[in-house]
Amino acid sequence: TAMAEGRPGSDDQYSDALEAWLSLGAADFDARAGQVFADLSLTERVRSQPTATLSGGEAARVSLASLLLSRFDVVLLDEPTNDLDLDGLDRLERWVVGLDAPVALVSHDRSFLERTVTDVIEIDHHSHRVSWFAGGWNAFLDERALAKLHAQQRYDEYDTKHQALVDRGQREREWASQGAARVRKSDEADKHIRNFKMNQTEQLAGRAARTDRALERLDVVDEPRTAWELRYSIPTAGRSGDIVATANGAVVERGDFRLGPVDLDVAHGDRIAIVGPNGSGKSTLLDLLLGRRAPTSGRAGLGSSVVIGEIEQARDGLIGDDGLIAAFCAITGMDTATARTLLAKFRLGPDQLDRPGRTLSPGERTRAAMAVLMANGANLLVLDEPTNHLDLDAIEQLEHAIAAFDGTILLVTHDRTLLRATEFTRVIAVDAGVVTERDPQSIS
């Protein structure tokens, strides 16, 4: 309209708008969108639904589609791998690596970082100082370890020199004090001998003063902070029966989706990875085995003396209007003082304890849920994407806890590093509702 009316500058405005429209990929958006939707199996039903009604897997695929279709000068990604399955992760990685635009991302997915980043910026938890490492994720790990080693060596060298000077100054002052006392008490009549002894004492005092000055000139090196180490463990709450969970010809039907028939026995001590794409039925299988979803046909449920430990369930119990400390004590039966001590180990302090659980960040609630498991114990550990919203230190602590847990484990995760780090006795694959068993070596 402005150009038709001949308004001054309208041609430049149109040119700028057209350039922006083209650079954002609007000209071929429909064609590209159709291909991306087909590749990600985003049906018309999914595309027409309000996003709030989508499942976690569907929402993750929609988010991935929005990234794959975007064209920006700079790309900012905050935990882009959350809820993506292995196929989605592969697509995201190839997209990030193939971008011409610079990318700044926040992620705790170690395999994703290893495959995509060229530089790492680390923010120190205590000082909030920023350190820049070039060369990719593995180079960052090596450089950080080397930097910590050198920092410790510098402090050890400083501490050795500092302590040696302190000890030497103390000895010299003691000798000077003892020498002066002996001169004062001496009945030596020869003044030359008395003057000689007094000079020796003064020399010792002068040496002590020089040592003090050397101590003052010594460049102070701060002791490196000890990295946060939770030493997280999940106690085993007694022994379950030999059969922890079972399914016999169990079928679950929900709308167009069908899981099964499932024939599966989970024995005490099994360490099972449940793998498969988003929407394949992994969470439905868990609900079936745990007795939270009744089968449409067949039988399924838990065995005897099973005590379930589940981060997701504990996390849901902490979402509400009650303060974190009150909710935590209600779930665990702990007294307030003991609960505060335990939560402090999970970096949950005064700033979080009195806040309503619903106001906590996802990471804070997840760490609190880990504390619930540590407090209550379990003999069946059920972990459904447990590393979502956890930082790297907490993920590594969880890995150690899983490795040491002396019970039965059901683990659903797309964290490839966690899958490789965990020793499984069985692998259950779920694909489009079909449940099969695979060789545990297939995920190594």
Side-chain angles (χ1 to χ4, degrees):
T1 302
M3 289 184 66
E5 295 175 354
R7 295 178 191 173
S10 59
D11 52 346
D12 291 335
Q13 293 174 356
Y14 175 81
S15 177
D16 292 341
L18 178 61
E19 184 177 349
W21 187 77
L22 291 172
S23 64
L24 289 171
D28 62 345
F29 179 82
D30 290 340
R32 291 187 295 113
Q35 184 62 52
V36 169
F37 292 158
D39 289 345
L40 296 178
S41 300
L42 291 174
T43 63
E44 177 61 32
R45 176 191 63 80
V46 174
R47 300 201 302 271
S48 63
Q49 282 183 229
T51 55
T53 67
L54 297 176
S55 69
E58 290 168 343
R61 292 203 305 276
V62 169
S63 296
L64 177 59
S66 69
L67 283 177
L68 299 181
L69 291 169
S70 66
R71 289 182 180 174
F72 296 108
D73 295 330
V74 178
V75 179
L76 307 178
L77 304 175
D78 190 359
E79 297 294 356
T81 64
N82 278 357
D83 299 316
L84 287 179
D85 57 19
L86 296 179
D87 178 67
L89 289 169
D90 180 63
R91 291 175 186 272
L92 177 63
E93 285 170 358
R94 285 189 278 112
W95 179 76
V96 170
V97 171
L99 280 173
D100 290 331
V103 179
L105 63 88
V106 176
S107 177
H108 297 119
D109 186 320
R110 293 157 292 179
S111 294
F112 177 70
L113 292 169
E114 184 179 339
R115 289 168 167 82
T116 58
V117 302
T118 59
D119 298 77
V120 176
I121 295 175
E122 182 182 37
I123 304 174
D124 185 85
H125 176 73
H126 298 284
S127 67
H128 304 295
R129 292 178 179 173
V130 171
S131 299
W132 189 304
F133 298 84
W137 179 250
N138 289 329
F140 157 70
L141 295 178
D142 292 340
E143 287 185 43
R144 183 176 63 169
L146 187 61
K148 288 181 178 179
L149 176 62
H150 288 167
Q152 188 62 50
Q153 289 173 339
R154 287 193 298 271
Y155 174 76
D156 290 343
E157 182 179 353
Y158 159 77
D159 187 52
T160 300
K161 289 181 179 178
H162 181 270
Q163 193 58 51
L165 288 171
V166 169
D167 292 343
R168 190 174 79 188
Q170 184 176 350
R171 287 195 306 270
E172 290 167 345
R173 282 188 294 273
E174 288 176 355
W175 292 342
S177 177
Q178 292 170 4
R182 285 194 297 270
V183 170
R184 287 194 300 271
K185 295 178 182 178
S186 174
D187 56 0
E188 177 60 59
D190 190 321
K191 66 176 184 179
H192 297 292
I193 296 177
R194 288 176 62 86
N195 287 338
F196 174 74
K197 291 181 177 180
M198 183 58 70
N199 286 337
Q200 283 186 316
T201 299
E202 291 173 352
Q203 288 176 9
L204 284 171
R207 287 170 59 184
R210 287 193 297 274
T211 299
D212 288 341
R213 288 194 294 273
L215 190 60
E216 292 172 358
R217 290 194 300 270
L218 191 63
D219 291 333
V220 176
V221 177
D222 293 329
E223 183 175 8
R225 286 185 179 271
T226 303
W228 177 66
E229 186 175 356
L230 173 61
R231 297 185 180 179
Y232 182 57
S233 62
I234 303 170
T236 305
R239 191 190 189 284
S240 67
D242 290 337
I243 298 299
V244 175
T246 187
N248 300 112
V251 174
V252 175
E253 293 179 340
R254 188 179 69 248
D256 297 335
F257 178 77
R258 173 187 170 96
L259 175 74
V262 180
D263 291 288
L264 179 65
D265 287 330
V266 178
H268 170 74
D270 276 347
R271 302 168 66 86
I272 300 176
I274 301 177
V275 299
N278 283 340
S280 61
K282 300 188 298 299
S283 296
T284 302
L285 176 61
L286 279 181
D287 288 342
L288 179 71
L289 293 173
L290 300 179
R292 293 197 293 240
R293 181 180 291 276
T296 307
S297 61
R299 295 183 296 108
L302 290 171
S304 61
S305 305
V306 176
V307 180
I308 300 173
E310 192 173 6
I311 287 181
E312 186 64 32
Q313 188 177 51
R315 187 164 46 200
D316 290 345
L318 297 168
I319 299 176
D321 294 327
D322 292 336
L324 172 60
I325 189 68
F328 184 84
C329 290
I331 293 173
T332 63
M334 278 187 172
D335 61 81
T336 301
T338 306
R340 285 181 180 274
T341 300
L342 178 58
L343 288 169
K345 296 179 180 180
F346 290 82
R347 290 180 177 169
L348 296 168
D351 291 341
Q352 293 84 24
L353 296 186
D354 294 326
R355 284 168 49 194
R358 58 181 170 74
T359 68
L360 298 174
S361 71
E364 289 168 340
R365 282 198 300 272
T366 301
R367 293 202 304 275
M370 290 172 65
V372 170
L373 262 61
M374 191 169 181
N376 288 349
N379 53 35
L380 171 59
L381 193 57
V382 181
L383 302 171
D384 192 353
E385 297 296 350
T387 59
N388 279 359
H389 310 300
L390 285 180
D391 59 28
L392 292 174
D393 289 334
I395 290 172
E396 290 174 359
Q397 294 297 326
L398 179 61
E399 283 180 358
H400 296 321
I402 292 172
F405 182 67
D406 187 25
T408 307
I409 296 175
L410 296 175
L411 174 63
V412 176
T413 185
H414 295 121
D415 186 321
R416 293 153 294 183
T417 306
L418 177 61
L419 283 171
R420 290 195 298 268
T422 305
E423 185 176 346
F424 296 104
T425 60
R426 302 170 67 185
V427 173
I428 304 299
V430 186
D431 192 358
V434 178
V435 179
T436 57
E437 189 148 359
R438 286 168 36 184
D439 183 351
Q441 299 299 317
S442 63
I443 61 171
S444 61

